[in-house]
Amino acid sequence: MKDDSGSPPDVDPIARLLGQAGPRAAAPAEREARVRAAVRAHWRAEVDAAARKRRLAWAAAIVAAAAAVAFVIGRGWWSREDRSPGAEESIATLLRAEGSVHLAGGGPLKHGDTLAPGGEIETGQDGRAALSLSEGSSLRLDSGTRVRLAAGPILQLERGSVYIDSGVSRARRAFLEVRTKLGVVRDIGTQFEVRLREDELWVSVREGLATLARGGRSFAAPAGTRLVAGATGEVQSRAVPVLGPDWDWVLAIAPEFRI
């Protein structure tokens, strides 16, 4: 079917005009060559500019890295120069203190103070302290406690009570050890208390497992157990609740929770 003009009704008028115009004449070869050469030259300039930027960026990065290395080396050299002979890294940091907490034979300690290996901390009858050890364990000291901190990590308990939370899954370089005149306590990833009385040593475990080495023998203390080592050599095992008054002092000196 055709319309009044004689053309099929489905043919677009624009398409009809283009068909009547026919193909465009090809550009002269000389003009096409000039256009291609100009486009290629512009593309080549852009590529070269990008390459120069990359080279400059790499050079700047290398210079910055060299400067950073030089700064770190220089800082380390100066820090060694400034450090007194024999000075060592800290082994513990004080997180909380209540009442009298001080270095044995020294001044009082406050929040944020660090202790070097060999430092001896003491709490008065009204004092308690919470510390974090550099190897990752948490340490709390009850009133009337005196303990020496050594590398290893090793705690030399002279009197009083310490509570240790070493965790059950934390990857550590070494197991913590508490030495006393009545035996050596080692943790196997646990929460436990070591209390040294005048003639007895108590090892009370809330969670995990600890061991007591004494007189060439080793005694295991799982959770809910208290080992009582007397001055004459005997070691008794008793049940101890993992919650209750025996642990109140531990909760009272817990470090403040930080978000």
Side-chain angles (χ1 to χ4, degrees), residues 8-228:
D10 295 335
V11 176
D12 184 79
I14 301 299
R16 187 167 62 251
L17 291 175
L18 292 175
Q20 294 174 355
R24 184 178 179 181
E30 181 184 357
R31 183 183 301 172
E32 182 179 353
R34 287 201 307 270
V35 171
R36 288 181 178 275
V39 171
R40 180 176 178 80
H42 181 75
W43 171 78
R44 185 74 264 174
E46 291 292 331
V47 171
D48 292 343
R52 284 196 299 272
K53 288 181 180 179
R54 286 195 297 269
R55 288 195 296 270
L56 289 174
W58 274 106
I62 293 172
V63 171
V69 171
F71 173 78
V72 171
I73 295 174
R75 183 184 178 91
W77 183 82
W78 280 109
S79 61
R80 288 196 299 271
E81 290 294 319
D82 295 340
R83 198 179 299 144
S84 58
E88 298 182 60
E89 298 296 331
S90 65
I91 194 174
T93 302
L94 186 64
L95 300 180
R96 184 178 175 185
E98 290 186 355
S100 175
V101 180
H102 58 276
L103 287 173
L109 294 171
K110 62 183 182 302
H111 176 273
D113 284 347
T114 58
L115 288 85
E120 196 165 4
I121 187 172
E122 189 170 7
T123 60
Q125 293 306 313
D126 65 338
R128 285 176 177 151
L131 304 94
S132 64
L133 300 182
S134 58
E135 51 81 46
S137 296
S138 172
L139 172 66
R140 302 177 202 176
L141 279 58
D142 198 5
S143 303
T145 296
R146 181 166 178 162
V147 62
R148 182 175 178 271
L149 309 178
I154 296 171
L155 309 180
Q156 181 68 45
L157 181 62
E158 302 296 334
R159 66 171 182 271
S161 178
V162 296
Y163 173 84
I164 294 145
D165 183 351
S166 63
V168 293
S169 60
R170 182 185 297 116
R172 291 174 292 148
R173 294 186 296 273
F175 293 109
L176 191 143
E177 185 175 283
V178 183
R179 297 178 179 178
T180 76
K181 62 182 180 181
L182 296 179
V184 177
V185 182
R186 296 183 179 90
D187 86 279
I188 315 296
T190 185
Q191 298 176 0
F192 67 105
E193 177 196 45
V194 180
R195 182 174 294 274
L196 182 61
R197 304 161 71 91
E198 289 186 4
D199 56 353
E200 283 185 338
L201 172 66
W202 291 5
V203 181
S204 306
V205 181
R206 292 186 71 189
E207 184 179 296
L209 176 70
T211 62
L212 169 64
R214 176 180 169 91
R217 300 177 61 191
S218 180
F219 303 86
T225 301
R226 170 176 290 161
L227 298 179
V228 180

